[in-house]
Amino acid sequence: MIRFRGGMAAIVARRGLRSFPLDPLLTAAFVALVTLGLIMVASSSVAIADRVYGDPLHFFWRQSAAAAIGLLLGYGVLRTPLKVWERLGVPLLAVAVVLLLLVLIPGIGREVNGSMRWIDLGPVNLQSSEPAKLCVIAYLAGYLVRQGDRVRTSFGGFIAPIMVVTVVAGLLLLEPDYGGAVVLFATTLGMLFLGGVPFTRFFAWMLAAGAVLGSLALHSPYRMQRLTSFMDPWQDPYNSGFQLTQALIAFGRGEWLGVGLGASVQKLFYLPEAHTDFVFAVLAEEFGLVGSALVILLYAFVIWRAFLIANVAEQGGRLYAAYLAYGIGLILGLQAFLNMGVNMGELPTKGLTLPLVSYGSNSMVMCCLAVALLIRVELENRGARSRSLPEVGMSYVA
């Protein structure tokens, strides 16, 4: 069937990206997660914020400011062509390494709860691992484009990015940030696999990475304590297993539909880190199984959408855009999976936030930038398709 569209194809082709709105489905999921995150930060932190700062909404205002900054910077990302990020791959990697080195220097890095993860910038603190992860993904995407054939056919091409990420992960472990190192290493292996690395080589290195990270956990006293308390938190419910048992109580109280927004009891100084690492447990208590399942579906949709956008870019020959989207989908999905697994007692405590939902200014800003990059990839995908449309006012529909 032939359908006439009066020259719209030519108009779209000439105007390019300016005539295209943002990806409506991805944008809607992003807005839903950010909105839910702000609501849950306000609800889960009201007691501790009132006690410590005298303002029940202290953390909510700070998280809202971080979301506003993230949206503002995300707008700049949307207006920046991906070829700019591709050219900046190596400098971005250097920035990541410098940030991770600076945080380890006494007087520059700030220690909180035994970890040197923040650079003191006066009114704000920069958590170096957050921008570092995004910088490494941008570098790896460019490396896979430049050295794609070597990565797929030779050991040297495959081992080079592994060594780079090993250095970055080693700096993360010195903070220590074991969870961040695990997520970054897993994301790297996933990107290399999607870049065409043979399954046997990928699987061998996955086992090697798992063995190294596992040995580090076993030889570190506090990580070993986390592992043992995870396996049986009820053995010591008032000490090493306290955090996990309180999270499980929150899930149990939530039942099917939850106790209602704001009615959580566990956030009242029973569950430690209720507004950061364990916000999903408070969400489960207040919204129940149904609410928790909907949040999981939102994350699943964002990951599915990221991989779909990456696949379209790959089929169109835009490999940097494809690998970048794959990397963003992997790191968001892995971090969400690990955080929710920890909250539900299925994984050892890692100290990872739930993307776009947990309190954390640095995490919120970087997640906004990551999603903005995804939307930019989708915009350029549609722009490439519009340029391939016929210039005459006739188009065909099967």
Side-chain angles (χ1 to χ4, degrees):
M1 179 178 65
I2 303 297
R3 183 175 299 172
F4 293 85
R5 297 183 179 174
M8 182 57 69
I11 294 173
V12 170
R14 285 196 298 268
R15 292 185 62 187
L17 297 179
R18 291 176 296 173
S19 63
F20 281 67
L22 302 182
D23 182 327
L25 297 176
L26 181 58
T27 303
F30 166 71
V31 171
L33 285 171
V34 171
T35 303
L36 178 65
L38 292 175
I39 292 171
M40 289 313 305
V41 166
S43 176
S44 60
S45 67
V46 61
I48 189 171
D50 187 47
R51 170 181 286 187
V52 177
Y53 299 100
D55 178 8
L57 295 178
H58 172 82
F59 293 107
F60 169 77
W61 296 126
R62 291 178 66 88
Q63 188 78 339
S64 298
I69 293 171
L71 291 174
L72 182 63
L73 295 177
Y75 176 74
V77 168
L78 284 175
R79 295 182 60 86
T80 304
L82 292 176
K83 61 184 180 182
V84 174
W85 299 102
E86 186 174 3
R87 288 199 299 266
L88 292 175
V90 175
L92 286 173
L93 176 65
V95 168
V97 173
V98 169
L99 287 175
L100 293 174
L101 286 172
L102 286 175
V103 79
L104 299 174
I105 300 175
I108 298 178
R110 180 187 176 194
E111 183 176 350
V112 178
N113 295 329
S115 297
M116 294 279 287
R117 300 183 185 179
W118 290 267
I119 297 176
D120 192 351
L121 299 178
V124 296
N125 294 314
L126 174 64
Q127 188 176 355
S128 353
S129 60
E130 293 296 337
K133 287 185 284 191
L134 200 55
C135 290
V136 170
I137 289 173
Y139 163 76
L140 284 172
Y143 180 87
L144 286 170
V145 174
R146 296 189 303 271
Q147 305 291 337
D149 291 337
R150 289 186 64 232
V151 168
R152 289 184 285 271
T153 59
S154 71
F155 180 77
F158 172 75
I159 198 62
I162 291 291
M163 297 306 297
V164 168
V165 175
T166 299
V167 171
V168 175
L171 293 174
L172 286 171
L173 290 172
L174 290 175
E175 295 183 3
D177 187 357
Y178 185 75
V182 169
V183 168
L184 185 60
F185 226 106
T187 300
T188 299
L189 289 174
M191 290 179 69
L192 290 171
F193 179 69
L194 292 168
V197 171
F199 179 76
T200 52
R201 192 182 306 162
F202 166 78
F203 186 70
W205 274 97
M206 186 173 65
L207 288 178
V212 170
L213 292 172
S215 64
L216 288 173
L218 293 174
H219 288 86
S220 175
Y222 88 95
R223 292 193 189 106
M224 191 62 191
Q225 184 182 36
R226 284 185 173 186
L227 284 172
T228 53
S229 63
F230 147 73
M231 294 174 66
D232 187 9
W234 301 102
Q235 186 178 4
D236 190 8
Y238 298 107
N239 189 14
S240 61
F242 182 77
Q243 201 168 32
L244 183 52
T245 55
Q246 296 304 312
L248 294 175
I249 291 170
F251 276 94
R253 290 193 74 247
E255 298 184 349
W256 284 97
L257 298 176
V259 297
L261 179 62
S264 166
V265 172
Q266 293 305 108
K267 69 185 180 186
L268 303 177
F269 308 107
Y270 292 102
L271 177 61
E273 310 296 340
H275 59 300
T276 55
D277 298 354
F278 284 86
V279 71
F280 187 66
V282 178
L283 185 149
E285 184 181 2
E286 296 190 346
F287 293 103
L289 177 63
V290 173
S292 303
L294 289 175
V295 172
I296 293 172
L297 287 174
L298 272 175
Y299 280 109
F301 175 81
V302 170
I303 298 161
W304 169 80
R305 191 68 182 158
F307 274 65
L308 182 63
I309 290 169
N311 184 255
V312 171
E314 189 172 13
Q315 290 180 355
R318 302 176 53 254
L319 295 182
Y320 179 79
Y323 296 138
L324 184 65
Y326 280 135
I328 292 171
L330 283 169
I331 202 164
L332 290 178
L334 284 168
Q335 188 158 328
F337 172 79
L338 290 174
N339 177 275
M340 290 187 285
V342 166
N343 276 243
M344 292 185 283
E346 299 300 321
L347 294 170
T349 305
K350 295 277 192 308
L352 290 169
T353 57
L354 187 59
L356 299 172
V357 175
S358 292
Y359 174 76
S361 301
N362 290 272
S363 176
M364 173 62 79
V365 172
M366 289 301 113
C367 286
C368 287
L369 296 185
V371 175
L373 280 170
L374 269 182
I375 297 175
R376 177 69 199 191
V377 173
E378 200 274 339
L379 281 172
E380 293 196 10
N381 284 347
R382 287 193 280 167
R385 288 201 302 270
S386 74
R387 287 190 292 272
S388 68
L389 291 173
E391 292 293 330
V392 297
M394 183 177 71
S395 63
Y396 55 89
V397 179

